[in-house]
Amino acid sequence: SIAIVGSINVDITTRSDRLPQPGETLHGHSYAINLGGKGCNQAVAASKLGGDAKLVGRIGKDGFGDIAAQHLADMGVSTEHVHLDETHGTGIAVIGVDANSENSIIVIGGANLAVDESDLERSSDVLETAKIMLMQLEIPVETCLSAAKKVRASSGKVIFDPAPAPVHGLPEGFLQNVDVVTPNETETEILTGFRPTNAEEAAHAANLLREQGVAAAVVKLGARGVYFKDETSEGFVEPFKVNAIDTVAAGDCFNGGLAYALADGKSLAEAVRFAAACGALSTTKHGAATSAPTLAEVEALMGA
Ligand code: ADP
């Protein structure tokens, strides 16, 4: 199975002609309530492909928690290992979008910031039996480190998406506990001090990441493609040509796809190509988790 230890948010997205100035009240056109949070998005992406995704995280005992649990169930993700937090509220993101698709976002981490060792212990069977574990940085980094150690102790592989970018750095030796790291340009710069813009520079950045102890570096360059390197393979995957209309959660769909393909026994090279197809397809639809592709859609794009 694929374990995802990460964040669960409810996204409240408003649409208005423009974003408000400080002190200003505006009337908008509409709003939507959707599932969000990188943990959730990646779990949904892996699950939609047909992966046996098990999400470990927390929601609050509030209306938003009910909404998150319902959405997860609708998307076919088990909430068996989503803990109900008695004291913290469900994580939310309040997202304003204007007529030019420019946005401003406030995230209240809530229960996500309380995910700790007790959650890992409660879900020890999930971590011990996971072939692959996905983690990101919307829960405490110490919890990620501990989860990584547990999964690897049971011979599972750890994929780490260093997002949001760890502007205060990672704990010493963190990447030594990770099998695959998947930063975008900004996250690569934060981790290595070097911002790659093309395949050659991404290769250099991948070497810098591998010097920090991670086995495989997968450097995502958005619409410019993705570079990967591990002990035995390296290469550059050209971007799939799609009509991109919304890049929200492209990285999450990429990671969900990467986990699915690696759990399916694919090589890193094959899995990265599969993941790039997932990321590309997600940009052809609006939304976060809802824009994740099905296996049939990915296979159609890869075969074309
Ligand atoms: P993040 O969301 O983490 O910043 P990226 O923007 O790099 O991640 O997108 C993740 C992946 O999705 C990319 O590496 C690429 O494979 C795919 N992707 C994103 N945008 C496009 C695009 N416009 N065309 C094709 N593929 C894309």
Side-chain angles (χ1 to χ4, degrees):
S1 63
I2 301 166
I4 301 93
V5 181
S7 55
I8 303 164
N9 284 337
V10 171
D11 290 354
I12 303 152
T13 306
T14 62
R15 294 204 168 259
S16 50
D17 285 337
R18 57 183 182 81
L19 298 171
Q21 302 292 319
E24 187 182 20
T25 298
L26 276 180
H27 283 278
H29 307 298
S30 62
Y31 75 95
I33 293 186
N34 283 301
L35 199 55
K38 292 177 192 298
C40 241
N41 293 344
Q42 297 186 12
V44 169
S47 173
K48 238 175 131 180
L49 290 164
D52 179 14
K54 300 211 161 80
L55 177 60
V56 177
R58 283 196 194 205
I59 54 179
K61 267 192 154 175
D62 51 24
F64 289 127
D66 297 340
I67 291 173
Q70 186 60 52
H71 273 77
L72 278 168
D74 290 348
M75 303 263 203
V77 177
S78 153
T79 52
E80 196 185 335
H81 299 275
V82 174
H83 179 57
L84 267 185
D85 190 311
E86 301 277 343
T87 51
H88 302 90
T90 303
I92 63 163
V94 182
I95 305 167
V97 181
D98 73 11
N100 299 320
S101 298
E102 194 64 61
N103 62 34
S104 68
I105 305 178
I106 295 175
V107 175
I108 305 292
N112 295 309
L113 304 182
V115 176
D116 66 11
E117 198 61 31
S118 70
D119 296 281
L120 305 182
E121 265 151 35
R122 209 178 290 113
S123 304
S124 59
D125 55 326
V126 174
L127 301 182
E128 279 162 17
T129 56
K131 219 165 167 181
I132 302 282
M133 193 257 295
L134 274 169
M135 57 186 199
Q136 321 78 25
L137 288 175
E138 289 181 335
I139 61 168
V141 69
E142 300 76 26
T143 309
C144 289
L145 182 56
S146 177
K149 287 180 177 167
K150 288 182 201 298
V151 168
R152 292 182 108 203
S154 311
S155 306
K157 278 199 163 92
V158 174
I159 304 179
F160 172 51
D161 182 13
V167 286
H168 302 296
L170 293 170
E172 185 70 28
F174 185 93
L175 287 182
Q176 290 167 17
N177 298 283
V178 171
D179 295 285
V180 186
V181 68
T182 62
N184 65 14
E185 298 101 318
T186 303
E187 292 144 10
T188 301
E189 183 175 15
I190 295 283
L191 294 176
T192 68
F194 177 76
R195 186 181 184 94
T197 60
N198 58 36
E200 198 184 323
E201 290 172 4
H204 175 60
N207 284 332
L208 295 176
L209 288 164
R210 282 174 35 83
E211 281 167 16
Q212 295 180 34
V214 64
V218 175
V219 178
K220 296 178 290 182
L221 303 176
R224 279 180 294 213
V226 50
Y227 177 85
F228 65 90
K229 178 167 183 164
D230 67 4
E231 307 89 85
T232 54
S233 67
E234 67 176 301
F236 186 73
V237 176
E238 294 289 340
F240 284 91
K241 286 196 174 48
V242 291
N243 179 24
I245 58 167
D246 176 0
T247 60
V248 171
D252 291 335
C253 291
F254 180 99
N255 272 57
L258 187 67
Y260 172 84
L262 289 176
D264 198 32
K266 300 268 195 300
S267 68
L268 183 68
E270 291 169 321
V272 168
R273 187 162 178 271
F274 183 92
C278 294
L281 282 167
S282 80
T283 71
T284 65
K285 289 184 192 158
H286 286 291
T290 48
S291 69
T294 63
L295 185 58
E297 289 169 329
V298 179
E299 283 173 346
L301 182 65
M302 290 182 75

